[in-house]
Short mmCIF file of all heavy atoms in Angstrom, two decimals:
data_model
loop_
_atom_site.label_atom_id
_atom_site.label_comp_id
_atom_site.label_asym_id
_atom_site.label_seq_id
_atom_site.Cartn_x
_atom_site.Cartn_y
_atom_site.Cartn_z
N LYS A 61 13.59 3.78 -64.11
CA LYS A 61 14.32 2.51 -64.17
C LYS A 61 15.74 2.72 -63.68
O LYS A 61 16.29 3.83 -63.73
CB LYS A 61 14.31 1.96 -65.58
CG LYS A 61 12.93 1.57 -66.06
CD LYS A 61 12.98 0.99 -67.47
CE LYS A 61 11.59 0.57 -67.94
NZ LYS A 61 11.62 0.01 -69.31
N THR A 63 18.54 1.86 -65.02
CA THR A 63 19.45 2.31 -66.09
C THR A 63 19.33 3.83 -66.26
O THR A 63 20.35 4.52 -66.45
CB THR A 63 19.13 1.60 -67.42
OG1 THR A 63 17.73 1.76 -67.71
CG2 THR A 63 19.46 0.13 -67.32
N TYR A 83 34.87 2.65 -56.03
CA TYR A 83 35.41 1.61 -55.16
C TYR A 83 35.30 0.30 -55.92
O TYR A 83 34.26 -0.38 -55.88
CB TYR A 83 34.64 1.54 -53.83
CG TYR A 83 34.78 2.79 -53.00
CD1 TYR A 83 33.86 3.82 -53.10
CD2 TYR A 83 35.85 2.94 -52.12
CE1 TYR A 83 33.99 4.97 -52.33
CE2 TYR A 83 35.99 4.09 -51.35
CZ TYR A 83 35.06 5.10 -51.45
OH TYR A 83 35.20 6.24 -50.71
N ILE A 98 28.36 25.83 -44.08
CA ILE A 98 28.84 25.10 -42.90
C ILE A 98 28.91 26.09 -41.74
O ILE A 98 29.61 27.09 -41.81
CB ILE A 98 30.23 24.49 -43.16
CG1 ILE A 98 30.14 23.50 -44.33
CG2 ILE A 98 30.75 23.80 -41.90
CD1 ILE A 98 31.46 22.94 -44.77
N LEU A 104 27.15 27.12 -34.29
CA LEU A 104 26.89 25.80 -33.72
C LEU A 104 26.41 25.92 -32.27
O LEU A 104 25.47 25.23 -31.85
CB LEU A 104 28.16 24.93 -33.77
CG LEU A 104 28.52 24.32 -35.13
CD1 LEU A 104 29.88 23.65 -35.06
CD2 LEU A 104 27.45 23.30 -35.56
N LYS A 108 22.88 24.78 -30.70
CA LYS A 108 22.77 23.91 -29.53
C LYS A 108 21.82 24.52 -28.50
O LYS A 108 20.99 23.82 -27.90
CB LYS A 108 24.15 23.68 -28.91
CG LYS A 108 25.04 22.76 -29.71
CD LYS A 108 26.41 22.59 -29.06
CE LYS A 108 27.30 21.68 -29.87
NZ LYS A 108 28.65 21.54 -29.26
N GLN A 115 13.94 21.38 -26.76
CA GLN A 115 13.75 20.17 -25.96
C GLN A 115 12.93 20.47 -24.71
O GLN A 115 12.05 19.69 -24.32
CB GLN A 115 15.12 19.58 -25.56
CG GLN A 115 15.89 18.93 -26.70
CD GLN A 115 15.19 17.69 -27.25
OE1 GLN A 115 14.47 16.99 -26.54
NE2 GLN A 115 15.38 17.44 -28.53
N GLU A 120 7.63 20.27 -21.86
CA GLU A 120 6.46 20.97 -21.33
C GLU A 120 5.18 20.55 -22.06
O GLU A 120 4.14 20.35 -21.45
CB GLU A 120 6.66 22.49 -21.44
CG GLU A 120 7.66 23.05 -20.46
CD GLU A 120 7.24 22.87 -19.01
OE1 GLU A 120 6.04 22.99 -18.73
OE2 GLU A 120 8.11 22.58 -18.17
N LYS A 122 4.72 17.73 -23.56
CA LYS A 122 4.40 16.35 -23.17
C LYS A 122 3.67 16.33 -21.83
O LYS A 122 2.70 15.58 -21.64
CB LYS A 122 5.69 15.53 -23.07
CG LYS A 122 6.30 15.15 -24.41
CD LYS A 122 7.55 14.31 -24.21
CE LYS A 122 8.16 13.90 -25.55
NZ LYS A 122 9.40 13.12 -25.37
N SER A 137 -14.93 9.20 -16.75
CA SER A 137 -15.33 8.30 -15.67
C SER A 137 -16.49 8.86 -14.85
O SER A 137 -17.14 8.13 -14.11
CB SER A 137 -14.14 8.04 -14.74
OG SER A 137 -13.74 9.23 -14.09
N GLU A 146 -30.99 9.10 -13.13
CA GLU A 146 -31.44 7.72 -12.96
C GLU A 146 -31.05 7.19 -11.58
O GLU A 146 -31.85 6.53 -10.90
CB GLU A 146 -30.83 6.84 -14.05
CG GLU A 146 -31.42 7.08 -15.44
CD GLU A 146 -30.74 6.23 -16.50
OE1 GLU A 146 -29.80 5.49 -16.16
OE2 GLU A 146 -31.16 6.32 -17.68
N LYS A 153 -36.40 5.88 -4.54
CA LYS A 153 -37.31 4.73 -4.42
C LYS A 153 -36.90 3.84 -3.25
O LYS A 153 -37.75 3.38 -2.47
CB LYS A 153 -37.28 3.93 -5.73
CG LYS A 153 -38.23 2.75 -5.74
CD LYS A 153 -38.16 2.00 -7.06
CE LYS A 153 -39.09 0.78 -7.03
NZ LYS A 153 -38.97 -0.01 -8.28
N LYS A 156 -37.80 5.52 0.03
CA LYS A 156 -39.25 5.42 0.26
C LYS A 156 -39.62 4.04 0.81
O LYS A 156 -40.42 3.93 1.76
CB LYS A 156 -39.99 5.68 -1.05
CG LYS A 156 -41.52 5.62 -0.94
CD LYS A 156 -42.06 6.79 -0.14
CE LYS A 156 -43.58 6.91 -0.25
NZ LYS A 156 -44.30 5.74 0.20
N ARG A 166 -42.56 0.93 13.56
CA ARG A 166 -42.94 1.85 14.63
C ARG A 166 -44.39 1.65 15.04
O ARG A 166 -44.77 1.86 16.19
CB ARG A 166 -42.72 3.29 14.18
CG ARG A 166 -41.26 3.71 14.19
CD ARG A 166 -41.05 5.07 13.56
NE ARG A 166 -39.67 5.51 13.66
CZ ARG A 166 -39.17 6.55 12.99
NH1 ARG A 166 -39.96 7.24 12.16
NH2 ARG A 166 -37.91 6.88 13.14
N GLU A 181 -41.22 -21.00 14.69
CA GLU A 181 -41.69 -21.39 16.02
C GLU A 181 -41.69 -22.91 16.19
O GLU A 181 -41.32 -23.44 17.24
CB GLU A 181 -43.10 -20.84 16.27
CG GLU A 181 -43.14 -19.35 16.53
CD GLU A 181 -44.55 -18.84 16.78
OE1 GLU A 181 -45.50 -19.62 16.54
OE2 GLU A 181 -44.70 -17.68 17.21
N VAL A 188 -36.16 -26.97 21.68
CA VAL A 188 -36.34 -26.87 23.13
C VAL A 188 -36.77 -28.23 23.70
O VAL A 188 -36.31 -28.64 24.78
CB VAL A 188 -37.37 -25.78 23.48
CG1 VAL A 188 -37.72 -25.82 24.97
CG2 VAL A 188 -36.83 -24.40 23.11
N THR A 206 -23.70 -41.87 40.03
CA THR A 206 -23.19 -41.27 41.28
C THR A 206 -23.95 -41.70 42.53
O THR A 206 -23.64 -41.23 43.63
CB THR A 206 -23.25 -39.73 41.15
OG1 THR A 206 -24.61 -39.34 40.92
CG2 THR A 206 -22.37 -39.25 40.01
N GLU A 207 -24.95 -42.57 42.36
CA GLU A 207 -25.81 -42.93 43.50
C GLU A 207 -25.00 -43.51 44.66
O GLU A 207 -25.21 -43.16 45.82
CB GLU A 207 -26.88 -43.93 43.05
CG GLU A 207 -27.88 -44.25 44.14
CD GLU A 207 -28.98 -45.19 43.64
OE1 GLU A 207 -28.94 -45.55 42.42
OE2 GLU A 207 -29.87 -45.53 44.42
N SER A 210 -18.56 -42.48 46.31
CA SER A 210 -18.05 -41.75 47.47
C SER A 210 -17.31 -40.47 47.05
O SER A 210 -16.88 -39.71 47.91
CB SER A 210 -17.12 -42.66 48.27
OG SER A 210 -16.03 -43.09 47.45
N GLU A 215 -16.15 -32.34 42.09
CA GLU A 215 -14.83 -32.68 41.57
C GLU A 215 -14.94 -33.73 40.47
O GLU A 215 -14.21 -33.69 39.47
CB GLU A 215 -13.95 -33.21 42.71
CG GLU A 215 -13.58 -32.13 43.72
CD GLU A 215 -12.70 -32.68 44.83
OE1 GLU A 215 -12.41 -33.91 44.80
OE2 GLU A 215 -12.32 -31.90 45.72
N PHE A 235 -35.68 -20.22 28.01
CA PHE A 235 -36.03 -20.43 26.61
C PHE A 235 -37.47 -20.92 26.47
O PHE A 235 -38.17 -20.58 25.52
CB PHE A 235 -35.07 -21.44 25.96
CG PHE A 235 -33.76 -20.81 25.56
CD1 PHE A 235 -32.72 -20.72 26.46
CD2 PHE A 235 -33.58 -20.31 24.27
CE1 PHE A 235 -31.51 -20.15 26.09
CE2 PHE A 235 -32.38 -19.74 23.91
CZ PHE A 235 -31.33 -19.64 24.82
#
Side-chain angles (χ1 to χ4, degrees):
K61 294 182 179 180
T63 52
Y83 295 92
I98 299 174
L104 283 172
K108 286 179 181 178
Q115 288 295 331
E120 287 297 322
K122 286 181 179 178
S137 64
E146 288 177 359
K153 183 180 178 183
K156 181 69 169 59
R166 284 172 176 168
E181 286 181 348
V188 171
T206 59
E207 185 177 359
S210 59
E215 291 180 0
F235 279 87

